[in-house]
Amino acid sequence: MKRLLVFVLLLSATTGNAQGTLSKKKILETMRLCNAYFMNKWPDPGKPIVTNKERPSNIWTRAVYYEGLMALYTIDRQKSYYDYAVDWGTKHQWGLRSGITTRNADDQCCGQTYIDLYKLDKMPERIKAIKTSIDNMVASDKNDDWSWVDAIQMAMPVYVKLGALYKEHRYFDKMYQIYAYTKNVHGGKGLYNKEEHLWWRDKDFVPPYKEPNGANCYWSRGNGWVFAALVRVLNALPKTDAHYAEYLQDFKDMGAALLQCQQATGMWTVSLHDTNHFGGKEISGTALFTYGFAWGVRNGLLDKKQYLPALTKAWNAMVKDAVHPDGSLGYVQGTGKEPKDGQPVTYNSKPDFEDYGLGCFLLAGTEVYRLAGE
């Protein structure tokens, strides 16, 4: 009996120490450092982004950053964050890159932040363009717009946010119709492998597209986009919705599949089933998976014993291995659609866009913060 008691006490201490490696103070310090780096580098939120060509700064890459910033604002309500986001919307006249007639999910991604800012201060101009764009989609019979999985994260949360805001099921219904088409139809049988519970990146990547080792090609960040989208949908969708259970099952099934792909480093590689194909650490996918794991654990949807150690290891690995002293991030794969794109991915490499990697990191950090001890 005495030996059993000692064992239980040791086990409890070990578990407590493992959870104690997540410190609210340290997590917030890291997020503030990384965000300050970006805001200092981009003091004008309306400034165009110039890489191989000039693009307006309300494109999807920047919109993902603002998703992260708005998440950070929920736990660290600094006026400078709010003002920075409002300035971004104002300088783009709360518009979409290709106007209100666009059906492109990438162009609609900015609407997630516009809606969040509208909820904080109900100024009609903040929501007019994105609502009109989505209303056009809802009124259409077309459901095949999301032919690449990134689109699920870029646009799907906009629908659920509008549906929740206006208490109108037509947004939820249309969201599901487009999601179901991507999941079950695109590419012939859909982009979701119902056996392996992972997603092909787009309709050109379904079988027989293989990695060098013969496995199906599942791109890390592409699956991260879907996983994050399911978080954002489940977080706002009424549980009474007819498709809530399906989204939840997809989230849980993906979580289990992703857990098996985590590497000993704590991170995930760009190719989930072929770790030798442009192998090594990568944090945009890792951050999105960490975001989903942490949200799932916090809401009692993922088993804490399984997922808390995984997300703790992932977060600590990102902080230790990817965060530079100045707050910039290493190991972010540049834009693309498969493992070979956006290479090389190293500690010192700079992706073509620095914004979306930080956005993913801030999303992850915010949820991990909510789980952490003092």
Side-chain angles (χ1 to χ4, degrees), residues 175-217:
M175 173 180 74
Y176 178 76
Q177 290 166 12
I178 307 177
Y179 175 79
Y181 194 99
T182 303
K183 178 181 174 181
N184 302 315
V185 181
H186 266 309
K189 294 184 178 179
L191 302 187
Y192 183 57
N193 185 323
K194 297 175 180 64
E195 286 72 45
E196 296 184 308
H197 301 302
L198 295 170
W199 295 71
W200 288 288
R201 196 274 176 174
D202 58 50
K203 61 184 180 180
D204 298 324
F205 279 71
V206 296
Y209 187 87
K210 301 286 185 181
E211 290 284 46
N213 69 352
N216 288 319
C217 178

Side-chain angles (χ1 to χ4, degrees), residues 302-374:
L302 297 178
D303 181 65
K304 187 175 183 179
K305 289 182 180 178
Q306 279 190 298
Y307 289 90
L308 181 59
L311 72 89
T312 300
K313 190 173 185 179
W315 175 257
N316 287 337
M318 287 191 290
V319 172
K320 175 179 176 290
D321 296 342
V323 177
H324 286 235
D326 66 354
S328 61
L329 296 173
Y331 294 108
V332 177
Q333 185 183 14
T335 56
K337 60 181 181 178
E338 59 182 312
K340 71 178 179 60
D341 294 336
Q343 296 288 342
V345 178
T346 67
Y347 176 74
N348 290 312
S349 64
K350 294 288 185 183
D352 47 355
F353 296 85
E354 285 190 271
D355 40 16
Y356 62 84
L358 175 57
C360 297
F361 186 76
L362 294 177
L363 286 172
T366 299
E367 283 301 320
V368 173
Y369 175 90
R370 291 189 169 110
L371 278 176
E374 295 303 323

Side-chain angles (χ1 to χ4, degrees), residues 18 62 68 81 105 146 224 232 236 252 263-264 298:
R62 191 58 52 86
Y81 301 163
W146 302 344
R232 296 171 80 74
K252 288 181 175 180
Q263 301 301 299
R298 190 170 66 83

Side-chain angles (χ1 to χ4, degrees), residues 24-38 68-69 71-73 75-76 81 315 319 323 327 358 361-370:
K24 273 185 164 61
K25 180 181 178 181
K26 291 180 180 178
I27 293 167
L28 189 55
E29 284 175 352
T30 301
M31 287 196 290
R32 284 175 172 171
L33 172 69
C34 295
N35 188 63
Y37 162 82
F38 186 82
L69 179 65
L72 175 59
Y73 184 65
I75 62 168
D76 188 25
Y81 301 163
W315 175 257
V319 172
V323 177
L358 175 57
F361 186 76
L362 294 177
L363 286 172
T366 299
E367 283 301 320
V368 173
Y369 175 90
R370 291 189 169 110

Side-chain angles (χ1 to χ4, degrees), residues 27 58 63 73 98 137 152 173 193 231 234 286 301 332 353 361:
I27 293 167
N58 60 348
Y73 184 65
S98 303
M137 301 279 286
I152 294 174
D173 294 341
N193 185 323
V231 168
L234 290 167
T286 295
L301 302 176
V332 177
F353 296 85
F361 186 76

Side-chain angles (χ1 to χ4, degrees), residues 141-192:
D141 293 330
K142 193 171 181 290
N143 295 318
D144 62 350
D145 295 278
W146 302 344
S147 62
W148 72 109
V149 295
D150 311 35
I152 294 174
Q153 195 285 141
M154 303 304 157
M156 198 170 174
V158 177
Y159 287 77
V160 77
K161 285 174 181 286
L162 287 173
L165 180 63
Y166 289 102
K167 295 180 172 54
E168 292 189 15
H169 276 272
R170 63 193 182 100
Y171 294 109
F172 303 149
D173 294 341
K174 188 64 175 182
M175 173 180 74
Y176 178 76
Q177 290 166 12
I178 307 177
Y179 175 79
Y181 194 99
T182 303
K183 178 181 174 181
N184 302 315
V185 181
H186 266 309
K189 294 184 178 179
L191 302 187
Y192 183 57

